[in-house]
Coordinates of all heavy atoms in Angstrom, one line a residue:
P270 N 14.3 11.2 -8.6 CA 14.2 11.5 -10.0 C 13.1 10.7 -10.7 O 12.6 9.7 -10.1 CB 15.6 11.2 -10.5 CG 16.2 10.1 -9.6 CD 15.6 10.5 -8.2
N271 N 12.8 11.0 -11.9 CA 11.8 10.3 -12.7 C 12.3 8.8 -12.8 O 13.5 8.5 -13.0 CB 11.7 10.9 -14.1 CG 11.0 12.2 -14.1 OD1 10.1 12.5 -13.2 ND2 11.3 13.0 -15.0
G272 N 11.3 7.9 -12.6 CA 11.7 6.5 -12.7 C 12.3 5.9 -11.4 O 12.7 4.7 -11.4
A273 N 12.3 6.7 -10.4 CA 12.9 6.2 -9.1 C 12.0 5.1 -8.4 O 12.5 4.4 -7.5 CB 13.1 7.4 -8.2
G274 N 10.7 5.1 -8.7 CA 9.8 4.1 -8.0 C 8.9 4.7 -7.1 O 8.2 4.0 -6.3
K275 N 8.8 6.1 -7.0 CA 8.0 6.8 -6.1 C 6.5 6.4 -6.3 O 5.8 6.0 -5.3 CB 8.1 8.3 -6.2 CG 9.5 8.8 -6.1 CD 9.6 10.3 -6.2 CE 9.0 10.9 -7.5 NZ 9.9 10.5 -8.6
T276 N 6.0 6.5 -7.5 CA 4.6 6.2 -7.7 C 4.3 4.7 -7.5 O 3.2 4.4 -6.9 CB 4.2 6.6 -9.1 OG1 4.4 8.0 -9.3 CG2 2.7 6.3 -9.4
S277 N 5.2 3.8 -7.9 CA 5.0 2.4 -7.6 C 4.9 2.1 -6.1 O 4.0 1.3 -5.7 CB 6.1 1.6 -8.2 OG 6.1 1.7 -9.6
L278 N 5.7 2.8 -5.3 CA 5.7 2.6 -3.9 C 4.4 3.1 -3.3 O 3.8 2.5 -2.5 CB 6.9 3.3 -3.2 CG 7.0 3.0 -1.7 CD1 7.1 1.6 -1.3 CD2 8.2 3.8 -1.1
F279 N 4.0 4.3 -3.8 CA 2.7 4.9 -3.4 C 1.6 3.9 -3.7 O 0.6 3.8 -2.9 CB 2.5 6.2 -4.1 CG 2.1 7.3 -3.2 CD1 2.7 7.6 -2.0 CD2 1.0 8.2 -3.6 CE1 2.3 8.6 -1.2 CE2 0.7 9.2 -2.8 CZ 1.3 9.5 -1.6
N280 N 1.6 3.3 -4.9 CA 0.6 2.4 -5.2 C 0.5 1.1 -4.4 O -0.5 0.5 -4.1 CB 0.7 2.0 -6.7 CG 0.3 3.1 -7.7 OD1 -0.5 3.9 -7.3 ND2 0.8 3.1 -8.9
C281 N 1.7 0.7 -3.9 CA 1.8 -0.4 -2.9 C 1.1 0.0 -1.6 O 0.4 -0.8 -1.0 CB 3.2 -0.8 -2.7 SG 4.0 -1.6 -4.1
I282 N 1.4 1.2 -1.1 CA 0.9 1.6 0.2 C -0.6 1.8 0.1 O -1.4 1.4 1.0 CB 1.5 3.0 0.6 CG1 3.0 2.8 0.8 CG2 0.9 3.5 1.9 CD1 3.7 4.2 1.0
S283 N -1.1 2.3 -1.0 CA -2.6 2.6 -1.2 C -3.4 1.4 -1.7 O -4.6 1.4 -1.9 CB -2.8 3.8 -2.1 OG -2.3 3.5 -3.4
G284 N -2.7 0.2 -1.9 CA -3.4 -1.0 -2.3 C -3.6 -1.2 -3.8 O -4.3 -2.2 -4.2
H285 N -3.1 -0.3 -4.6 CA -3.3 -0.5 -6.1 C -2.3 -1.5 -6.7 O -2.6 -2.0 -7.7 CB -3.2 0.9 -6.7 CG -4.3 1.8 -6.4 ND1 -4.4 2.6 -5.3 CD2 -5.5 2.1 -7.1 CE1 -5.5 3.3 -5.2 NE2 -6.2 3.0 -6.3
Y286 N -1.2 -1.7 -6.0 CA -0.3 -2.7 -6.4 C -0.1 -3.6 -5.2 O -0.1 -3.2 -4.0 CB 1.1 -2.2 -6.8 CG 1.2 -1.4 -8.1 CD1 2.4 -0.6 -8.3 CD2 0.2 -1.4 -9.0 CE1 2.5 0.1 -9.5 CE2 0.3 -0.7 -10.2 CZ 1.4 0.1 -10.4 OH 1.5 0.8 -11.6
R287 N 0.2 -4.9 -5.4 CA 0.5 -5.8 -4.4 C 2.0 -6.2 -4.4 O 2.4 -6.9 -5.4 CB -0.4 -7.1 -4.4 CG -0.1 -8.0 -3.3 CD -0.9 -9.3 -3.4 NE -0.7 -10.1 -2.2 CZ -1.6 -10.4 -1.3 NH1 -2.9 -9.9 -1.5 NH2 -1.4 -11.1 -0.2
P288 N 2.8 -5.8 -3.5 CA 4.2 -6.1 -3.5 C 4.4 -7.7 -3.4 O 3.6 -8.4 -2.9 CB 4.7 -5.5 -2.2 CG 3.7 -4.4 -1.8 CD 2.4 -5.0 -2.3
H289 N 5.5 -8.1 -3.9 CA 5.9 -9.5 -3.9 C 6.3 -10.0 -2.5 O 6.2 -11.2 -2.2 CB 6.9 -9.9 -4.9 CG 6.4 -9.7 -6.3 ND1 6.4 -8.5 -7.0 CD2 5.9 -10.7 -7.2 CE1 5.9 -8.7 -8.2 NE2 5.6 -10.0 -8.4
S290 N 6.9 -9.1 -1.7 CA 7.3 -9.4 -0.4 C 7.4 -8.1 0.4 O 7.4 -7.0 -0.1 CB 8.6 -10.2 -0.4 OG 9.6 -9.5 -0.9
G291 N 7.5 -8.3 1.7 CA 7.7 -7.2 2.6 C 6.5 -7.0 3.5 O 5.6 -7.9 3.6
S292 N 6.5 -5.9 4.2 CA 5.4 -5.6 5.2 C 5.1 -4.2 5.1 O 5.9 -3.3 5.0 CB 5.9 -6.0 6.6 OG 5.0 -5.6 7.6
I293 N 3.8 -3.9 5.2 CA 3.3 -2.5 5.4 C 2.2 -2.5 6.5 O 1.2 -3.2 6.4 CB 2.6 -2.0 4.1 CG1 3.6 -2.0 2.9 CG2 2.0 -0.6 4.3 CD1 3.0 -1.6 1.6
T294 N 2.5 -1.8 7.6 CA 1.6 -1.8 8.7 C 1.1 -0.4 9.1 O 1.8 0.6 8.8 CB 2.3 -2.4 10.0 OG1 3.4 -1.6 10.3 CG2 2.8 -3.8 9.7
V295 N -0.1 -0.3 9.6 CA -0.7 0.9 10.1 C -0.9 0.6 11.6 O -1.7 -0.2 11.9 CB -2.0 1.2 9.4 CG1 -2.7 2.4 10.0 CG2 -1.7 1.5 7.9
D296 N -0.3 1.4 12.4 CA -0.3 1.2 13.9 C -0.1 -0.3 14.3 O -0.8 -0.8 15.1 CB -1.6 1.7 14.4 CG -1.7 3.2 14.6 OD1 -0.6 3.8 14.6 OD2 -2.7 3.8 14.8
G297 N 0.9 -0.9 13.6 CA 1.2 -2.3 13.9 C 0.4 -3.4 13.2 O 0.6 -4.5 13.4
V298 N -0.7 -3.0 12.5 CA -1.6 -3.9 11.9 C -1.2 -4.1 10.4 O -1.1 -3.1 9.7 CB -3.1 -3.5 11.9 CG1 -4.0 -4.4 11.2 CG2 -3.5 -3.3 13.4
E299 N -0.9 -5.3 10.0 CA -0.5 -5.6 8.6 C -1.6 -5.2 7.6 O -2.7 -5.8 7.8 CB -0.1 -7.0 8.5 CG 0.4 -7.4 7.1 CD 1.7 -6.7 6.7 OE1 2.7 -6.9 7.4 OE2 1.7 -6.0 5.7
V300 N -1.3 -4.4 6.6 CA -2.3 -4.1 5.6 C -1.9 -4.4 4.2 O -2.6 -4.2 3.2 CB -2.7 -2.6 5.7 CG1 -3.3 -2.2 7.1 CG2 -1.5 -1.7 5.4
L301 N -0.6 -4.9 4.1 CA -0.1 -5.2 2.7 C -1.1 -6.2 2.0 O -1.5 -7.2 2.5 CB 1.3 -5.8 2.8 CG 2.0 -6.1 1.5 CD1 3.5 -5.9 1.7 CD2 1.8 -7.5 1.0
G302 N -1.3 -5.8 0.7 CA -2.2 -6.7 -0.1 C -3.6 -6.4 0.0 O -4.4 -7.0 -0.8
N303 N -4.1 -5.5 0.9 CA -5.5 -5.2 1.0 C -5.9 -4.3 -0.2 O -5.1 -3.5 -0.6 CB -5.8 -4.5 2.3 CG -5.9 -5.5 3.5 OD1 -6.4 -6.6 3.3 ND2 -5.3 -5.1 4.6
A304 N -7.1 -4.4 -0.6 CA -7.7 -3.5 -1.6 C -7.9 -2.1 -1.1 O -8.0 -1.9 0.1 CB -9.0 -4.0 -2.1
P305 N -7.9 -1.1 -2.0 CA -8.0 0.3 -1.6 C -9.2 0.5 -0.7 O -9.2 1.3 0.3 CB -8.2 1.1 -2.9 CG -7.4 0.3 -3.8 CD -7.6 -1.1 -3.5
A306 N -10.4 -0.1 -1.0 CA -11.6 0.1 -0.1 C -11.4 -0.4 1.3 O -11.8 0.2 2.3 CB -12.8 -0.6 -0.8
T307 N -10.6 -1.5 1.4 CA -10.3 -2.1 2.7 C -9.4 -1.1 3.5 O -9.5 -0.9 4.7 CB -9.7 -3.5 2.6 OG1 -10.6 -4.3 1.9 CG2 -9.4 -4.0 4.0
L308 N -8.4 -0.6 2.8 CA -7.4 0.3 3.4 C -8.1 1.6 3.9 O -7.7 2.1 4.9 CB -6.3 0.6 2.4 CG -5.4 -0.6 2.1 CD1 -4.4 -0.2 1.0 CD2 -4.6 -1.0 3.3
A309 N -9.1 2.0 3.2 CA -9.9 3.2 3.6 C -10.4 3.0 5.0 O -10.5 3.9 5.8 CB -11.0 3.5 2.6
R310 N -10.8 1.7 5.3 CA -11.4 1.4 6.6 C -10.3 1.3 7.7 O -10.6 1.4 8.8 CB -12.2 0.1 6.5 CG -13.4 0.2 5.6 CD -14.3 -1.1 5.7 NE -15.4 -0.9 4.8 CZ -15.5 -1.2 3.5 NH1 -14.4 -1.7 2.9 NH2 -16.6 -1.0 2.8
H311 N -9.1 1.2 7.2 CA -7.9 1.3 8.1 C -7.4 2.7 8.3 O -6.5 2.9 9.0 CB -6.8 0.4 7.6 CG -6.9 -1.1 7.8 ND1 -6.8 -1.7 9.0 CD2 -7.3 -2.1 7.0 CE1 -7.0 -3.0 8.9 NE2 -7.3 -3.2 7.7
G312 N -8.1 3.6 7.7 CA -7.7 5.0 7.8 C -6.8 5.7 6.8 O -6.4 6.8 7.0
L313 N -6.6 5.0 5.7 CA -5.8 5.5 4.6 C -6.7 6.2 3.5 O -7.7 5.6 3.1 CB -5.0 4.4 3.9 CG -3.6 4.1 4.6 CD1 -3.9 3.1 5.7 CD2 -2.7 3.5 3.6
A314 N -6.3 7.4 3.2 CA -7.0 8.1 2.1 C -5.9 8.6 1.1 O -4.8 9.0 1.5 CB -7.8 9.3 2.6

């Protein structure tokens, strides 16, 4: 539902927000906290 946190989570995955804790990996490589341009080089669009 609205306000559930979907967009915020999406922004964490895509590098627009930096989570306070946790892990986000692409093929086992940690990408949490990287900027969107860096994530693009990891294959995220």
Side-chain angles (χ1 to χ4, degrees):
N271 290 331
K275 304 183 299 296
T276 299
S277 294
L278 184 59
F279 227 47
N280 285 336
C281 290
I282 298 171
S283 61
H285 291 83
Y286 291 166
R287 184 182 184 113
H289 291 82
S290 62
S292 173
I293 300 175
T294 63
V295 173
D296 279 345
V298 177
E299 181 65 60
V300 299
L301 185 147
N303 283 319
T307 302
L308 291 175
R310 296 184 179 90
H311 283 283
L313 276 83

